[in-house]
Amino acid sequence: QVQLVESGGGLVQAGGSLRLSCTASGPGTTSRAASMGWYRQAPGRQRELVASEPTTGDIAYADSVKGRFTVSRHVAENTVYLQMNNLKPEDTAVYYCNANFNWRVWWGQGTQVTVSS
């Protein structure tokens, strides 16, 4: 089992910044995660990739966040961060941490990010 605990969401004005954090724990985390990252889901829309960082390979970003968001990992501590700058109202969503351990995908409970105009 793997538990993902997120923190750092909140309410911010357009143009502001937030930093999300997610830490994985549990018996399933004895091996290194193949990837960790973030997805988001806005009301009435499907969950979509925001950013994902594999242990090896290129980081993937949604086109809508390139140049504004930065994902980073502390691999040994099973932690992933999402630095979000120049936030826009369309970034408002529930943000979910995502991790791949042992070829299984795990999800956090989600953290709300609201950007006011």
Side-chain angles (χ1 to χ4, degrees):
Q1 292 292 321
V2 174
Q3 293 81 43
L4 301 177
V5 178
E6 302 125 332
S7 62
L11 173 64
V12 64
Q13 289 187 332
S17 298
L18 284 174
R19 187 178 189 236
L20 305 183
S21 300
C22 172
T23 299
S25 63
T29 62
T30 54
S31 59
R32 184 175 297 180
S35 66
M36 294 188 75
W38 297 89
Y39 285 67
R40 67 186 180 187
Q41 187 167 17
R45 301 191 65 177
Q46 290 188 334
R47 191 172 297 189
E48 62 176 3
L49 171 71
V50 177
S52 182
E53 181 173 341
T55 300
T56 56
D58 295 331
I59 294 173
Y61 287 100
D63 287 343
S64 60
V65 307
K66 286 180 180 178
R68 300 188 298 123
F69 291 10
T70 302
V71 66
S72 60
R73 286 176 65 185
H74 193 305
V75 176
E77 294 185 356
N78 288 322
T79 300
V80 63
Y81 305 94
L82 184 68
Q83 178 66 43
M84 304 184 291
N85 298 327
N86 190 21
L87 282 159
K88 304 176 180 181
E90 51 264 43
D91 294 318
T92 295
V94 178
Y95 284 69
Y96 295 92
C97 180
N98 167 281
N100 185 324
F101 282 91
N102 299 316
W103 306 108
R104 181 174 173 179
V105 175
W106 302 86
W107 296 92
Q109 79 285 358
T111 184
Q112 177 69 44
V113 171
T114 302
V115 184
S116 62
S117 58

